[in-house]
Amino acid sequence: MADQHELRDKGLRLTPQRELVLAAVRELGHSTPEEVAEKVRLTHPGINLSTVYRNLETLENVGLVQHTHLGHGGATYHAAEELTHLHLVCGKCEAVGDAPLEIAATFVNALSDEYGFKTDVSHFAIYGTCSNCQ
Amino acid sequence: MADQHELRDKGLRLTPQRELVLAAVRELGHSTPEEVAEKVRLTHPGINLSTVYRNLETLENVGLVQHTHLGHGGATYHAAEELTHLHLVCGKCEAVGDAPLEIAATFVNALSDEYGFKTDVSHFAIYGTCSNCQ
DNA sequence: TAGTTGGTGCGAATAATTCGCAACTCGCTT
DNA sequence: AAGCGAGTTGCGAATTATTCGCACCAACTA
Ligand SMILES: [Mn+2]
Ligand SMILES: [Mn+2]
Ligand SMILES: [Zn+2]
Ligand SMILES: [Zn+2]
């Protein structure tokens, strides 16, 4: 596994649980800690939820996963490689649509130029009303 | 109080607690339910935290207050009239800066034109790194 | 192969928010 | 002015989400 480097370089270990959590996040796309746990338990029923939380945090520190806020509640996780779009969340039907990052380019540049603020447009969802719900 | 209309029209009552919660939100600007409760308790120690939660929800349904997500955690509330800017949240120092809504105009228009998505740019904060923390 | 130290399972502890319900009161009607 | 009914409140308990403490286990390393 190439991920070993990311981990071992920081004195961390590649445990089965950790591999399983990472694999689950990669397969699921956006997913809550609970969903990750369920996925992992399909093949390894013994895994503990707090282990999932701890590994998501560890994997995020190492840069292999990231979290995003899609709704009013908790965070969802995704593989770091996969963050190539922003999320359009409809406040009425709860639908989550995608849009390319480029669509926010002028906005991001303006924030950078005028405020020196480097934006991560996809950390928080873009909230509003989708075309179906107008 | 002009707010009576907003409430009574929907069969709701203007109780002292409700007035106090609304007044606190208006004075505090962005504030968590807990902060609203503390503010109200300065003059009315008896108010219950669940009453604050319920009234914030009610006032939001009626359109007098709104909530926004400034950080990874819970929501903050503000008076509806006051939502005239978007929030730039720094992931490193936690600072919350403001920027005018107009700075997102082309972005909002693009989402409208290309996806039919009507964006509320200030419901979620804009996340990134502030100029001090680069 | 043994030792060091990070990781895991588990149950308890926190924190944040929501509920259930009896008592209370706002606003309306006689 | 008094009465009534439905919306509200206080309170404690219940949920949910996430974090901790700790003894035991196991991944790396020499
Ligand atoms: Mn929200
Ligand atoms: Mn976050
Ligand atoms: Zn919708
Ligand atoms: Zn900063």
Side-chain angles (χ1 to χ4, degrees), chain B:
Chain B
M1 228 119 286
D3 309 316
Q4 292 193 15
H5 293 57
E6 259 79 51
L7 293 166
R8 298 229 179 97
D9 289 354
K10 312 200 181 182
L12 303 175
R13 295 177 189 170
L14 190 59
T15 63
Q17 291 90 335
R18 196 162 281 169
E19 287 185 283
L20 289 162
V21 167
L22 179 55
V25 170
R26 285 179 168 159
E27 290 174 45
L28 290 171
H30 315 125
S31 47
T32 63
E34 191 69 53
E35 289 166 341
V36 170
E38 281 170 32
K39 173 78 174 175
V40 172
R41 283 176 182 147
L42 293 179
T43 56
H44 296 71
I47 198 169
N48 192 276
L49 184 55
S50 49
T51 297
V52 172
Y53 272 98
R54 286 184 291 221
N55 277 326
L56 286 172
E57 184 181 354
T58 299
L59 291 169
E60 183 159 37
N61 289 335
V62 171
L64 290 171
V65 310
Q66 290 183 358
H67 77 266
T68 309
H69 303 274
L70 296 185
H72 308 198
T76 62
Y77 289 80
H78 57 267
E81 318 87 78
E82 185 199 332
L83 194 52
T84 53
H85 56 271
L86 50 81
H87 307 100
L88 307 181
V89 173
C90 177
K92 298 202 173 148
C93 69
E94 307 269 281
V96 179
D98 289 350
L101 293 179
E102 301 84 59
I103 201 170
T106 61
F107 176 46
V108 169
N109 288 334
L111 290 176
S112 178
D113 293 347
E114 298 180 33
Y115 297 89
F117 188 87
K118 302 305 181 197
T119 301
D120 170 7
V121 258
S122 52
H123 187 81
F124 283 111
I126 305 302
Y127 189 86
T129 309
C130 76
S131 54
N132 294 328
C133 293
Q134 309 279 334

Side-chain angles (χ1 to χ4, degrees), chain A residues 1 75 82 104:
Chain A
M1 237 123 280
E82 184 200 331

